[in-house]
Amino acid sequence: MSRPRILIIEDERALTDVLTYNFQREGYDVIVAFDSQEGLRKAQMQLPDVVILDLMLPGLDGLEVCRELRAGDRTRNVPILMLTAKAEETDQVVGFSMGADDYVTKPFSVKVLLQRVKALQRRAEPSEEAGEVFEHLGIRIDRIRHRATVEGKELELTPTEFRLLECMVRQPGRAFSRPQLMDVAIGEGAVVLERTIDVHIKTLRKKLGLKQDFIETVRGVGYRFRETP
């Protein structure tokens, strides 16, 4: 079985040394990039299983790198964890809106970071439980190929958006609270804002186009996927 590959895009060399040592101990192949352009190039050439991305980088900042990764054919589905000293609510929301899957602020525990990365990997891997392919109201979810289509047209979703859509389409008519959706899409124990789910829902609706109204807001609760046309 091949070793999981992680790409760390971070300009603080002392930190990359610590992270490299710890991830290698956990059985990862570690790739390091010290600036945005090097990070984008290595992501395209070596296609990591997870990217740890610093927000403050020489050249393009981490948000632009995240945008570029999500726009690339090869990298659009790679889970991205943003690692940053910025802890303001607006920074976190902007990070998720750009397509980040998780967000860890400095200073942090390396053990916690390792667990968050492993959680991202688990969510990105196809699960063996339940059906592999299912469809509702013209939206088709293929969990093995990690593809979602609307009337046959493929949607370009981040891993988090895919998990959100899969969760709601699988159980149409069920109202999910924001904390429930956070557990499904971002992971149990992740310290994120409830408003983060609203950001993901907003971008997901936009990508659904004419079917965006199928994701309904349940006042005082959260969201549900329409049960009937």
Side-chain angles (χ1 to χ4, degrees), residues 3-4 10 17 33 35 38 59 70 73 78 80 105 110 132 155 164 186 196 200 210 215 229:
R3 288 157 60 95
E10 163 67 64
D17 289 345
D35 63 57
E38 182 187 13
R70 286 289 170 248
D73 290 337
V78 176
I80 298 171
T105 57
V110 173
E132 297 175 356
L155 298 171
L164 261 182
I186 300 173
T196 296
H200 286 305
L210 295 176
I215 297 179

Side-chain angles (χ1 to χ4, degrees), residues 2 11 13 47 63 66 68 92 103 110 128 130 137 179 185 188 213 221:
S2 61
D11 63 337
R13 292 175 185 261
L47 196 61
L63 293 176
C66 185
E68 292 281 342
Q92 194 175 127
Y103 195 107
V110 173
E128 295 180 359
L137 298 183
E188 294 184 16
D213 291 340
V221 179

Side-chain angles (χ1 to χ4, degrees), residues 1 15 69 73 75 95 101 109 118 123-124 127 134 147 160 217 224 228:
M1 185 175 179
L15 178 56
L69 291 172
D73 290 337
T75 57
D101 297 290
S109 159
K118 289 177 181 178
R123 298 202 299 275
S127 172
F134 54 95
R147 294 181 62 196
T160 296
T217 301
R224 69 176 168 229
T228 57

Side-chain angles (χ1 to χ4, degrees), residues 128-143:
E128 295 180 359
E129 62 185 40
E132 297 175 356
V133 180
F134 54 95
E135 186 171 354
H136 180 65
L137 298 183
I139 296 178
R140 180 182 174 90
I141 305 291
D142 186 331
R143 307 173 83 236

Side-chain angles (χ1 to χ4, degrees), residues 154-201:
E154 186 166 358
L155 298 171
E156 295 183 1
L157 303 179
T158 67
T160 296
E161 290 166 353
F162 184 89
R163 296 275 297 190
L164 261 182
L165 185 62
E166 175 194 344
C167 173
M168 292 188 290
V169 172
R170 181 180 291 283
Q171 302 178 72
R174 173 181 170 178
F176 291 92
S177 68
R178 288 174 176 82
Q180 286 174 328
L181 291 174
M182 284 193 290
D183 286 346
V184 167
I186 300 173
E188 294 184 16
V191 182
V192 295
L193 308 164
E194 289 196 6
R195 192 175 149 207
T196 296
I197 286 296
D198 298 333
V199 174
H200 286 305
I201 292 292

Side-chain angles (χ1 to χ4, degrees), residues 2-8 29-33 38-51 69 74-75 78:
S2 61
R3 288 157 60 95
R5 182 178 299 159
I6 189 165
L7 170 61
I8 302 170
D29 284 332
V30 181
I31 310 161
V32 175
E38 182 187 13
L40 287 169
R41 183 171 66 254
K42 288 184 174 180
Q44 290 289 341
M45 293 176 63
Q46 302 191 51
L47 196 61
D49 295 293
V50 178
V51 172
L69 291 172
R74 281 171 56 79
T75 57
V78 176

